[in-house]
Amino acid sequence: MAGPKRPPQFARPSFRYELVIAQANSEGYVAPVLVWLILFLCLVISIIKYTLALILKWSVPKATVKKDYTYQPTVSVLMPCFNEGKTVYETIESISKSNYPNDKFEVIAQDDCSVDDSYEWMLKAQRDFTNIQVRVGRNTANSGKARTVCNALHYSTADMIISIDSDCIFHPEAIRELAACFSEPKIGSVGGRVGVRNPNESAITAIQTFIYYAAFQLYKVPENWTRSVGCISGCLFAIRRELLLEIEPKIRSRHWFGIPVNQGEDRFLTHQTLLRGYGTYINNDALCWTTVPVTLSELFKQQLRWRRSIVRDLFYTLRTLPKHVWTLHPNTVLTLVLTPLGALLGLLVALTMLSGSPMALAGPAPLVLYLGMGAILGWVIRKYSAREAVNHPLAFGAYLAWSLVSSLFITTLALCTLDSKDWGTRTKEEEATDGDDARQESAV
């Protein structure tokens, strides 16, 4: 005998659920919901990453490399330059004051056909700082930063190569700190912490000071733990000579559908180091300071160049990941995929928010959150890195607006200009040459 029929009300929730889904589909809400869900997952991963960073930073000694300061290989500091003027002289001066045996390191300054007086300042530095060897060369045609580094490399015979930006000021211990990390045989590339020389020049420089400090002191700590830093800054990038020589042909042959690529060599070098089974690491005791963009237009150009590098790297990762996914550390895979993917998701979220809730960021809660973050970071920086102390930490509240501009416009423009090949933030009056046609004058 059949049992009693189930009361109709038990079927209603399922029926109502299906109605809601059908209505959501008909009104086009499912895609935005999925975007927000993915963003939420990325946010959770980021929170976990920062929390893990705090735990590792203060309680896990193995998160840092065991340094050996008796290890002192020969070092060549490669300094590519384009339109930096007197700054190159200041950079070489700071390197000449390094606490490292003078007979074990040199500076190789390579000019990329600057149209200002950069080359003359290089030659003046060569004449003035005779306590170290300074060699100066010049490309015969504008070639871009990546190939200029490769040109300078050919004059070096050192065991360790340090590639730098031509506007960086070295801490006296920077070379010594970088070299000490290579006592770990599986370390292939080491970076230093990049500080801001001009934190109080404008609200824009203040914001960048916070971002730089948080990135090096927190965000990269979990990557350090597994020796899988996803991007070592080109401001201060040390690498084993034999490894760089192995990667050099790939640097010269990089292209985007046949168009040579000269940007993002730091991220590319880091990626190639990881794919070859070496570890990558950031030593926060190896310090240098850089001058960050002061105006919105300068910042936009810099961030556009960086965003192109991130997006290109995502496509490269997706193409090569099947071959390497089982040999890389899981945290390496997460680093190589999540960071660039986050940039693209930021664009989708910005578009979704503007189409659905355009005033979502206009409320007080996001602003209060960013102001609170600025106050905390301002206090920490003032206490632990007084040289970078920000006079008006609440300026970080403006980052709220910049994050929307960055996600909406910079990512979109980067996707449309992945074939760009110039220096990005400096005045440029000559076109970069394709391939390897650009050669260099001898370094003297």
Side-chain angles (χ1 to χ4, degrees), residues 44-256:
V44 169
I45 292 173
S46 294
I47 292 173
I48 292 173
K49 188 170 183 177
Y50 276 109
T51 304
L52 181 62
L54 290 170
I55 296 172
L56 292 173
K57 191 173 181 67
W58 288 309
S59 61
V60 182
K62 289 185 179 180
T64 59
V65 163
K66 187 176 180 181
K67 304 172 190 175
D68 181 3
Y69 293 105
T70 64
Y71 180 69
Q72 295 183 334
T74 54
V75 175
S76 287
V77 181
L78 309 185
M79 189 188 76
C81 169
F82 183 70
N83 286 358
E84 286 288 358
K86 185 180 179 180
T87 304
V88 297
Y89 182 89
E90 297 170 352
T91 297
I92 297 174
E93 180 181 22
S94 70
I95 299 171
S96 72
K97 298 176 181 178
S98 295
N99 181 21
Y100 201 78
N102 287 352
D103 60 339
K104 286 196 171 185
F105 80 98
E106 65 178 352
V107 177
I108 303 176
Q110 189 75 16
D111 181 61
D112 193 23
C113 298
S114 297
V115 295
D116 64 359
D117 57 354
S118 298
Y119 188 65
E120 286 69 30
W121 281 109
M122 287 179 175
L123 294 174
K124 178 174 171 53
Q126 184 184 52
R127 293 191 299 267
D128 291 351
F129 307 122
T130 56
N131 61 310
I132 62 171
Q133 183 175 20
V134 179
R135 292 199 269 178
V136 178
R138 194 174 198 181
N139 296 341
T140 57
N142 184 268
S143 311
K145 181 183 177 183
R147 289 177 177 82
T148 302
V149 169
C150 292
N151 290 343
L153 172 64
H154 281 216
Y155 299 120
S156 168
T157 58
D159 300 319
M160 187 178 90
I161 305 297
I162 301 178
S163 176
I164 67 170
D165 282 352
S166 51
D167 64 346
C168 285
I169 301 300
F170 270 41
H171 188 282
E173 299 293 330
I175 297 178
R176 182 169 173 264
E177 285 288 344
L178 291 171
C181 297
F182 284 98
S183 60
E184 222 178 81
K186 290 303 293 180
I187 291 290
S189 299
V190 179
R193 184 173 84 80
V194 182
V196 175
R197 291 179 68 186
N198 55 333
N200 296 300
E201 197 164 344
S202 69
I204 294 170
T205 62
I207 291 172
Q208 292 172 87
T209 303
F210 294 138
I211 299 300
Y212 276 55
Y213 192 84
F216 285 99
Q217 294 292 353
L218 279 181
Y219 193 77
K220 292 185 182 292
V221 171
E223 298 172 19
N224 263 356
W225 181 37
T226 55
R227 311 297 187 259
S228 56
V229 175
C231 180
I232 295 174
S233 171
C235 291
L236 193 59
F237 192 118
I239 185 171
R240 295 182 186 274
R241 173 187 171 77
E242 66 274 12
L243 179 57
L244 182 54
L245 288 173
E246 182 182 338
I247 299 172
E248 184 198 0
K250 284 188 171 292
I251 298 174
R252 289 189 179 274
S253 63
R254 286 175 69 208
H255 65 89
W256 181 257

Side-chain angles (χ1 to χ4, degrees), residues 365-381:
L367 180 59
V368 170
L369 174 63
Y370 276 81
L371 289 175
M373 291 170 60
I376 295 172
L377 284 170
W379 177 82
V380 172
I381 293 173

Side-chain angles (χ1 to χ4, degrees), residues 362-437:
L367 180 59
V368 170
L369 174 63
Y370 276 81
L371 289 175
M373 291 170 60
I376 295 172
L377 284 170
W379 177 82
V380 172
I381 293 173
R382 187 173 295 276
K383 182 174 181 179
Y384 295 103
S385 185
R387 179 170 179 166
E388 301 171 84
V390 175
N391 295 336
H392 304 288
L394 295 185
F396 191 69
Y399 186 67
L400 181 64
W402 172 254
S403 61
L404 180 61
V405 172
S406 175
S407 297
L408 194 59
F409 296 105
I410 292 182
T411 301
T412 302
L413 191 55
L415 287 168
C416 297
T417 58
L418 291 173
D419 57 348
S420 176
K421 53 184 180 179
D422 61 24
W423 281 72
T425 53
R426 295 165 178 85
T427 303
K428 183 171 179 291
E429 297 183 6
E430 297 183 38
E431 287 298 319
T433 58
D434 292 347
D436 291 328
D437 293 337

Side-chain angles (χ1 to χ4, degrees), residues 280-297:
T280 55
Y281 184 77
I282 295 291
N283 180 2
N284 282 325
D285 294 325
L287 297 172
C288 74
W289 292 272
T290 186
T291 303
V292 297
V294 178
T295 65
L296 276 175
S297 61

